[in-house]
Amino acid sequence: MILLSFLPYYITQFVLILFDLDQTDRHILVGLLMLSDVLFMTSLFVLGGEFWERLNKLFKWPGDEVTKENKQ
């Protein structure tokens, strides 16, 4: 789901480059982009708590846990 949410951005870029769009077509593209944002946010909730724990571990410095244990 998370990877599919990025696909409409590339489709929109190619459509804007290759075709001359009228106002209705632009509204459709904006709706498609908003739908992809909703899909991205939904996929983050579907991934769940374990994903968020792993993501937080990516941004923690390895030495922080050791220094906290030494202070106690």
Side-chain angles (χ1 to χ4, degrees), residues 16-29:
L16 288 173
I17 291 171
L18 297 177
F19 301 107
D20 185 30
L21 303 175
D22 60 348
Q23 195 68 17
T24 306
D25 295 334
R26 290 182 186 159
H27 287 295
I28 292 172
L29 286 179

Side-chain angles (χ1 to χ4, degrees), residues 14-57:
F14 288 123
V15 167
L16 288 173
I17 291 171
L18 297 177
F19 301 107
D20 185 30
L21 303 175
D22 60 348
Q23 195 68 17
T24 306
D25 295 334
R26 290 182 186 159
H27 287 295
I28 292 172
L29 286 179
V30 169
L32 179 67
L33 292 174
M34 288 174 33
L35 182 66
S36 70
D37 287 340
V38 170
L39 182 64
F40 177 75
M41 288 181 216
T42 305
S43 66
L44 291 178
F45 287 114
V46 168
L47 286 171
E50 185 177 331
F51 170 75
W52 289 108
E53 290 175 15
R54 289 182 180 183
L55 188 66
N56 284 335
K57 286 181 183 178

